[in-house]
Amino acid sequence: RDIGTLLAQKKAGLYFLVNNDAAGSSFFVICSPEFEKQVDLKAYAEFLKTHGFKGGGKQGTLQGGGTKVADNFKQVLVDWLRSK
């Protein structure tokens, strides 16, 4: 969470931070205010659910966990964002 907040303070954007471990993964998403109108975080959370993640958040953030993140997941995220 602290890393995501620091990144968003340095450069506005949408950040997806994840940690894989033996039990699965945990994630944190932060969206800078400049991008909140462009990225629907509720739709983003629903998209993540279709890939085995659960979580919730408040304005500008999501956090949760789920299955291990696949190697190609970065591209899956990029493709989803481009489709919006």
Side-chain angles (χ1 to χ4, degrees):
R1 177 181 243 165
D2 292 338
I3 293 170
T5 302
L6 182 61
L7 288 170
Q9 288 172 346
K10 295 282 184 183
K11 184 174 182 182
L14 174 71
Y15 295 93
F16 181 89
L17 294 94
V18 65
N19 181 56
N20 279 332
D21 60 26
S25 67
S26 57
F27 71 87
F28 180 74
V29 175
I30 187 165
C31 183
S32 299
E34 297 89 346
F35 291 94
E36 285 182 6
K37 289 183 180 177
Q38 295 169 285
V39 179
D40 180 350
L41 285 182
K42 286 185 182 184
Y44 193 61
E46 289 300 316
F47 164 76
L48 292 174
K49 284 182 186 177
T50 66
H51 290 276
F53 299 101
K54 291 189 259 181
K58 55 184 180 178
Q59 185 176 354
T61 65
L62 296 171
Q63 65 183 31
T67 61
K68 287 191 177 186
V69 176
D71 292 340
N72 70 333
F73 196 66
K74 176 183 174 185
Q75 191 59 50
V76 171
L77 289 174
V78 169
D79 292 345
W80 183 85
L81 288 167
R82 285 187 178 149
S83 73
K84 301 299 167 199

